[in-house]
Amino acid sequence: MFVRCGVVIVGLMGFAKLLHSQRRRTSEGSQGTKVKESLVVVVGSTNPCKIKACERAFKACFPSVNAIRLIPVKAKSGVSDQPMTDEETLKGAKNRAKNALQAIRKETKEDSLIDFSVGLEGGLNLGEDGDSLVCHAWMCVLCAKTGKASVARTASFMIPPQVTDLIRNKNMELGEADDVVFKRTNSGQGSGTVGILTHNLIDRCEYYRHALIMALIPYINLDLY
């Protein structure tokens, strides 16, 4: 278990123990809406960058919640390791959210405390010139209680020709190609391609955070959706 500024990150076994000890209470919010004292969010990834993005997005969207419990789960995307279309990338995000929630249900036999399950999937697609590659990512936030999902897409940006060449001709994933071109290690769990190319003005965590907040819009405007 890891605790950071009101956010608790626990594994599957840790969550199983919490199921029997955690009590959920609600109180009246300032505008007459019920505000939960804690949220339990399953994250369909163990990537530190994706977990941090979820932490920041949920903290920003639910400032009245005292504690947010994140449960990272290795979840299958059901798509290729390097999605190459917008549609495939979106499918991967949806599958990760769904499969992560199913993994928790299978492990604990109970999910009454779970509020959301999140899937994050990065992908590529062809640029307008039909030759270059453009990077983007999809976020899927699944409501565990209703089964309804909200999705949002990040901004997109062009991949440098050297990186594009390695992806196309050497069948490398984007993170692998980054490591080769930019002489780094494990780019996918660091600042990412977007961090390298923006000179860390926007790192991968921040890149995902914005889209996650967009995907959370229906859940912070329940009277409108």
Side-chain angles (χ1 to χ4, degrees), residues 52-208:
K52 184 179 290 186
C54 288
E55 171 190 330
R56 292 179 178 177
F58 275 88
K59 283 180 66 177
C61 289
F62 298 97
S64 299
V65 173
N66 292 333
I68 297 173
R69 301 185 184 277
L70 299 181
I71 310 166
V73 177
K74 285 186 177 181
K76 293 182 178 180
S77 68
V79 299
S80 59
D81 291 337
Q82 179 57 75
M84 294 298 291
T85 67
D86 208 42
E87 294 76 16
E88 186 182 17
T89 307
L90 175 56
K91 181 180 179 181
K94 289 180 176 179
N95 285 344
R96 286 189 191 277
K98 179 183 68 176
N99 292 336
L101 184 58
Q102 289 179 347
I104 286 288
R105 287 172 170 164
K106 182 178 180 181
E107 180 72 22
T108 65
K109 310 300 182 185
E110 183 179 354
D111 66 353
S112 60
L113 294 181
I114 300 172
D115 295 290
F116 300 105
S117 185
V118 182
L120 308 86
E121 189 76 16
L124 301 169
N125 55 279
L126 283 176
E128 291 185 356
D129 60 5
D131 186 52
S132 61
L133 290 179
V134 175
C135 182
H136 67 281
W138 277 97
M139 312 289 121
C140 176
V141 179
L142 176 67
C143 177
K145 302 297 189 296
T146 66
K148 293 182 178 180
S150 174
V151 300
R153 190 183 188 275
T154 64
S156 58
F157 59 94
M158 290 182 62
I159 299 299
Q162 281 181 286
V163 178
T164 297
D165 180 67
L166 291 175
I167 294 170
R168 280 189 167 150
N169 299 319
K170 300 294 183 180
N171 294 318
M172 289 187 181
E173 293 180 38
L174 178 58
E176 295 174 318
D178 282 346
D179 287 345
V180 172
V181 173
F182 300 110
K183 296 178 172 53
R184 304 201 321 171
T185 302
N186 209 11
S187 297
Q189 296 198 15
S191 63
T193 311
V194 67
I196 298 169
L197 296 179
T198 64
H199 299 179
N200 287 317
L201 291 174
I202 302 174
D203 63 15
R204 194 180 185 207
C205 176
E206 187 67 6
Y207 183 60
Y208 287 162

Side-chain angles (χ1 to χ4, degrees), residues 37-53:
E37 291 193 350
S38 65
L39 283 177
V40 178
V41 181
V42 181
V43 182
S45 176
T46 57
N47 185 307
C49 176
K50 292 183 178 182
I51 295 169
K52 184 179 290 186

